[in-house]
Amino acid sequence: MNAQELIKVINTCVDELDFISARKYMEENKELLKRSKHRLNRNAQDLLEFVVTKSENQLDPKEIHAIHAINNYASNFDIRALKLIVKDKAALISRKDTLTYLNEDAKAILESMRVVSLNA
């Protein structure tokens, strides 16, 4: 499907309130649609903006695995392994949205290690 057909299909889907199909087309063709955003109707542009910002803030599978490991090590009180993963994944842990995925054990240990601040 070329760009012109894709934009026509997305505009039709949005006009018919079929946001699920429109979103699937947008997720599969994000880069193409970013360049041709001006050709989408206003509602489709808003939906594209939502899809793009959501995908930028989403955790990738490696990050999810690292958070799961942090939670597991904290629950088992494996401080040595926790320190190693914190050292490797410092940027991930410093992100504000990551704190919501940590369990209470991990939050308490990381705060006592002064890696995160839950009050800020």
Side-chain angles (χ1 to χ4, degrees):
M1 184 180 307
N2 65 26
Q4 187 174 3
E5 292 173 4
L6 177 66
I7 290 171
K8 184 178 178 182
V9 168
I10 291 173
N11 283 334
T12 304
C13 289
V14 171
D15 289 341
E16 294 173 357
L17 303 177
D18 184 10
F19 297 118
I20 296 171
S21 298
R23 182 177 174 182
K24 286 181 182 177
Y25 285 122
M26 287 178 181
E27 287 174 345
E28 293 170 358
N29 301 290
K30 269 188 282 195
E31 296 305 317
L32 173 71
L33 292 172
K34 282 183 193 177
R35 293 189 303 266
S36 303
K37 183 177 178 179
H38 64 280
R39 296 174 59 197
L40 294 170
N41 64 27
R42 183 67 192 149
N43 291 336
Q45 288 179 7
D46 291 341
L47 184 60
L48 178 64
E49 188 67 32
F50 173 77
V51 168
V52 169
T53 56
K54 183 176 182 253
S55 67
E56 290 172 355
N57 295 333
Q58 206 170 20
L59 297 174
D60 66 11
K62 289 181 182 179
E63 293 171 334
I64 293 170
H65 180 70
I67 291 170
H68 179 36
I70 290 169
N71 287 335
N72 191 23
Y73 293 146
S75 295
N76 295 331
F77 207 68
D78 187 356
I79 302 299
R80 174 183 271 165
L82 188 63
K83 283 183 179 181
L84 287 173
I85 199 164
V86 165
K87 183 179 178 183
D88 291 339
K89 302 294 182 181
L92 173 65
I93 295 169
S94 66
R95 288 176 36 185
K96 293 287 184 191
D97 60 334
T98 303
L99 291 177
T100 59
Y101 300 108
L102 296 174
N103 63 19
E104 294 303 315
D105 294 332
K107 288 178 185 177
I109 294 172
L110 292 174
E111 187 174 30
S112 70
M113 293 169 58
R114 294 192 175 113
V115 174
V116 296
S117 176
L118 300 178
N119 296 333

